[in-house]
Amino acid sequence: MDETLGTALRRWRDRLSPIDVGRPSRPGRRAAGLRREELAELAGLSVDYVVRLEQGRATSPSAQVVASLARALQLEPMERDHAYRLAGLLPPQEGTISTHVPAGVQRMLARLGEFPVGVFSADWTLLSWTPAWAALLGDPSARTPVERNLVRAVFAPGPRGLAAWPVLQEDDALTTALVADLRTALVGYPRDRGLIDLVAELRSTSAEFARLWDEGAVGPHVSARKVVVHPQVGEVTCDCDVLTVPGCDVRLVVYTVAAGSADAEKLEFLRVTNEVGAVSSPPGPGLSSTP
């Protein structure tokens, strides 16, 4: 009998350990893999919808739902494409930006929960983050992909973006590097409609972006000291590093503080008082918790 999406989802769910997604594996736990409730939370879906998918009663999931499930289940690229085909959908096409976070990166994030770490796609849309990231920079889980785009937040703060990117900028190194990154991404992903629209939007709404774009800004990301302004603890000074994952076009932004410092105490206070849960990967555009 041919495999269905439901049977594949159950198989992929059963092979994942709770530890792989940043959850404790408690004694007496019956399920060896993830529970449906855990998968639903990680994918931003309702438990009922996950049950209906696995039982074959929901037969037409959207591409956004499949993408969210693929991230939550830590599927490899070929497995992700298989999930799309089982759902009767075409896998993501060449020339468009991937929102897939490799399984190894997700396992690493699950073990780096004490550090603020965010995973971004090639157009600088936030795909996944640790609980400490949400505690320090604000919980992005309720925001749409448009609102989670860092370039839009930096160049066009306001209701359309993250309202206010809470990181003080002392020079133009970040803005120059972001514009250079988008220029490079546009060469690599010439068919990505979202990227094309983002560049056009920012050229029309941000004089600074338009100037840097027209000047052909080139600038690599470098390690830098950042000051995050937090409503509970005030200013937190962090070292910020941007790491590129070989073999895939995602970037990890990592904030760290010196052990034993006042900033470390502030970060620990935020971690304890702002319980956000496991490593998060939000649903795609237009998704709600109950499809």
Side-chain angles (χ1 to χ4, degrees), residues 110-157:
R111 289 161 175 78
L112 291 176
E114 66 179 278
F115 297 109
V117 184
V119 181
F120 290 82
S121 60
D123 65 351
W124 284 98
T125 296
L126 182 62
L127 301 176
S128 187
W129 57 87
T130 61
W133 175 280
L136 178 64
L137 298 166
D139 187 2
S141 59
R143 298 178 181 134
T144 67
V146 168
E147 295 168 333
R148 294 195 312 272
N149 184 272
L150 176 61
V151 188
R152 183 176 284 108
V154 168
F155 284 99

Side-chain angles (χ1 to χ4, degrees), residues 108 117-118 124 221 223 241-246 250-254:
M108 180 172 62
V117 184
W124 284 98
H221 282 284
S223 298
D241 295 280
V242 179
L243 312 176
T244 302
V245 181
V250 298
R251 301 89 189 271
L252 276 66
V253 176
V254 184

Side-chain angles (χ1 to χ4, degrees), residues 6 18 20 22 26 29 35 50 52 62 107 111 158 166-167 186 215 229 231 235 237 261-262 269 273 275 278 280 288:
D20 290 333
R26 295 185 175 87
R29 181 185 174 101
R35 297 188 177 98
V50 171
R52 287 189 285 123
S62 67
R107 287 191 290 268
R111 289 161 175 78
V167 182
L186 199 57
E215 290 176 355
V229 182
E235 294 186 353
T237 301
S261 65
F269 174 81
T273 57
E275 296 182 3
S280 299
S288 66

